[in-house]
Amino acid sequence: MNTNPIEKASQKLKTSLTFRFIAIVILVLLLLIPTSMIKNMIRERQSYAHEAIREVSQKWGHSQKIAGPVLNIPYLDHPGSEKSPTRKIIHLLPDYLNIDGRLKPHKRHRGIYDVIVYEATLQITGNFSLSGLSEAGIPPEDLLWDQAFLSTGITDLRGIQERILLNWDQESYYCSPGIADQGLLRQGVSTKVKLDTLKSNYSFQMKINLNGSQKIEFQPLGKETEVKISSDWPAPKFDGAFLPDTHNITDEGFTAQWNILHLNRNYPQQWTGNEFNITGTAFGAELITPVDHYQKSMRTIKYAILVISLTFLIFFFTELRSKRKVHPLQYILVGLALVLFYSLLVALSDHIRFDISFLISSLSIVLLVSVFSGLVFRKRSAGIRVFLLLTLIYAFIFTLLQLESYALLAGNIGLFIILMVIMWISRKINNENPPEPSPNNSNQ
């Protein structure tokens, strides 16, 4: 009896290794769709975390940037004999500026999210020299000595916890909010100070207690600027235009010290009006969360295509070895279980440590897929084999997450070994099915 050619072609297509392999590749690509949906979920939850930080910062205090103090002296500029003089301001930066700060960290909770805030105690000392006035070419008689004021830049005045007392050359002044001239500093506090035309050097001292969130920065306005920061927080990030000259980080906290000269920045010690600006020279420290589980979850999900592909290859080779076909629906179910791992990881890491979440999520999925494999192939050995191989895959990914600096090197070595093993296993696979014996092949 002759076989229908269409049925014969269809049967050959179903049994073709090439067709089955292409179908598996298509399934892997389709499973990237729910994987991308989980990526979007992670980004969405990251935005919720940033929103929580913003809400807490609005009530506690935003990240702070300290600039100054700066001595501002108004003077009369005479453009010509026929024109009336105009009032201008010369800004004098301190000769020496020393800031000794202590950050006391706190954790504030907004829903399931933690926000790092701090209380900062800053001791600011230094001195000014009026020699810059002669260098600017301003006649002493044109200076409005009685209108001189000292200004200190603070980005978020809501964080100030107590009145700021300025000790200026054996005189004491309380600072007021706002800055009379915003040509140099936009936000902060200021106070009038007394200047003596016969004196050229003035020392100052002030203490600032303020709240802030995550980051604190300083502007190197001194001819020589020294900043020392210490805190009980064990995970700082040093950022800005300058890194600390020395720092020490332990489990109990950190200390950092900067020493910056006026030669390291692109503006002088004195100028008038808006001739220069101080942007781009800030430096400082940020109190970061030691483990950002959203970043680690995003790094983990980048290996999704690798995990799904290797698992499907395990099923494919097991299928060839056991000579028991796996239905495409069963491949899809396994793939969805692997994708569920990432969603489960994100959900658990919102409440418990990332490492524990990874262990629970991976163990749950490995057990689920292994038991399912044993039922599909009807062999306990097949389930055990899948369990061991999946455990090895997830252990490899977890190791890559820990090796931040060497993750690329370790990943490439691991992929090379995996590829070598797959090539060895697949060496005897024949693309075509063996020819069927013909019933008319015998000799008459």
Side-chain angles (χ1 to χ4, degrees):
M1 182 178 181
N2 294 329
T3 306
N4 190 326
I6 298 179
E7 291 182 359
K8 187 176 181 180
S10 175
Q11 184 64 27
K12 185 177 181 180
L13 189 63
K14 289 181 181 179
T15 57
S16 171
L17 293 180
T18 303
F19 173 77
R20 286 154 62 190
F21 185 77
I22 292 175
I24 291 174
V25 171
I26 294 174
L27 287 178
V28 171
L29 296 177
L30 289 176
L31 286 171
L32 293 181
I33 297 175
T35 302
S36 65
M37 295 172 64
I38 295 178
K39 285 184 180 180
N40 292 333
M41 180 189 70
I42 296 175
R43 296 189 185 100
E44 184 180 4
R45 298 190 74 81
Q46 280 181 315
S47 67
Y48 291 157
H50 294 155
E51 179 66 20
I53 293 174
R54 189 185 65 83
E55 290 180 2
V56 172
S57 299
Q58 282 183 342
K59 298 174 177 60
W60 180 271
H62 290 283
S63 60
Q64 298 285 7
K65 183 182 293 184
I66 310 300
V70 177
L71 180 59
N72 310 274
I73 306 177
Y75 69 96
L76 296 178
D77 181 39
H78 300 274
S81 58
E82 298 180 357
K83 296 181 180 179
S84 58
T86 57
R87 183 179 182 273
K88 293 185 178 180
I89 293 180
I90 181 170
H91 310 291
L92 297 179
L93 304 186
D95 266 22
Y96 175 70
L97 176 62
N98 178 271
I99 302 176
D100 193 346
R102 176 71 182 173
L103 305 182
K104 183 180 180 180
H106 300 280
K107 275 189 178 182
R108 292 293 180 266
H109 305 284
R110 176 69 64 178
I112 63 174
Y113 304 105
D114 292 333
V115 180
I116 309 303
V117 298
Y118 60 81
E119 296 179 56
T121 301
L122 305 176
Q123 295 284 353
I124 304 177
T125 58
N127 68 278
F128 285 90
S129 173
L130 300 187
S131 61
L133 296 176
S134 59
E135 296 176 9
I138 302 174
E141 61 272 13
D142 290 338
L143 291 166
L144 305 177
W145 299 94
D146 58 335
Q147 297 182 25
F149 63 96
L150 199 75
S151 58
T152 304
I154 302 175
T155 51
D156 192 353
L157 298 181
R158 293 172 300 177
I160 297 176
Q161 294 303 295
E162 61 181 40
R163 299 180 69 181
I164 300 175
L165 179 65
L166 169 68
N167 293 318
W168 174 264
D169 196 39
Q170 299 180 352
E171 296 281 345
S172 296
Y173 306 90
Y174 280 108
C175 296
S176 301
I179 297 176
D181 178 79
Q182 297 187 351
L184 178 59
L185 303 176
R186 297 292 182 181
Q187 292 178 303
V189 296
S190 61
T191 180
K192 286 188 174 183
V193 293
K194 291 182 180 179
L195 297 179
D196 189 342
T197 56
L198 301 177
K199 191 171 183 178
S200 61
N201 288 287
Y202 294 85
S203 61
F204 64 88
Q205 180 180 1
M206 60 195 308
K207 179 181 178 181
I208 301 178
N209 292 327
L210 76 164
N211 293 342
S213 299
Q214 295 189 308
K215 181 188 295 186
I216 186 167
E217 293 181 302
F218 306 93
Q219 295 283 6
L221 299 188
K223 197 170 187 178
E224 181 182 359
T225 302
E226 291 186 2
V227 176
K228 182 179 180 181
I229 295 295
S230 61
S231 175
D232 296 331
W233 191 254
K237 175 186 176 183
F238 304 116
D239 204 358
F242 303 95
L243 293 177
D245 296 300
T246 60
H247 68 273
N248 183 36
I249 303 174
T250 66
D251 293 337
E252 287 74 33
F254 74 92
T255 58
Q257 186 167 348
W258 292 260
N259 193 328
I260 302 168
L261 302 177
H262 69 301
L263 299 173
N264 304 134
R265 53 171 214 237
N266 195 31
Y267 49 86
Q269 284 298 109
Q270 69 282 325
W271 67 86
T272 60
N274 302 327
E275 188 176 354
F276 294 93
N277 64 73
I278 60 175
T279 58
T281 59
F283 62 93
E286 181 179 356
L287 309 183
I288 62 175
T289 305
V291 177
D292 187 342
H293 62 274
Y294 291 125
Q295 291 182 1
K296 284 202 168 185
S297 297
M298 189 63 76
R299 287 178 59 196
T300 304
I301 204 170
K302 291 179 180 179
Y303 298 102
I305 188 170
L306 173 65
V307 176
I308 296 173
S309 300
L310 290 179
T311 305
F312 279 10
L313 281 177
I314 294 170
F315 264 68
F316 181 69
F317 288 130
T318 305
E319 179 181 353
L320 294 179
R321 184 173 182 177
S322 63
K323 298 182 180 180
R324 185 174 184 85
K325 295 181 181 179
V326 179
H327 195 277
L329 177 61
Q330 293 170 327
Y331 274 102
I332 294 176
L333 292 176
V334 172
L336 292 177
L338 297 175
V339 173
L340 180 62
F341 160 77
Y342 303 101
S343 179
L344 188 60
L345 176 63
V346 175
L348 288 175
S349 58
D350 275 339
H351 303 279
I352 58 179
R353 286 176 49 191
F354 179 86
D355 296 351
I356 304 299
S357 302
F358 191 98
L359 176 62
I360 295 175
S361 303
S362 58
L363 185 59
S364 301
I365 298 303
V366 168
L367 287 175
L368 176 63
V369 175
S370 301
V371 172
F372 183 71
S373 303
L375 295 175
V376 168
F377 294 108
R378 297 182 182 179
K379 288 184 179 181
R380 183 180 298 178
S381 59
I384 294 175
R385 190 181 305 113
V386 170
F387 176 85
L388 294 176
L389 292 175
L390 282 181
T391 301
L392 184 62
I393 292 173
Y394 281 110
F396 172 65
I397 293 175
F398 184 78
T399 303
L400 292 181
L401 294 177
Q402 308 307 311
L403 300 175
E404 294 187 4
S405 301
Y406 299 95
L408 182 60
L409 177 61
N412 279 276
I413 294 175
L415 289 176
F416 177 80
I417 295 174
I418 291 171
L419 181 61
M420 182 175 62
V421 172
I422 293 175
M423 293 173 70
W424 173 259
I425 295 175
S426 61
R427 69 191 187 282
K428 294 183 179 180
I429 293 180
N430 187 0
N431 186 47
E432 301 294 337
N433 293 318
E436 297 179 1
S438 174
N440 300 323
N441 199 28
S442 59
N443 294 328
Q444 298 296 329

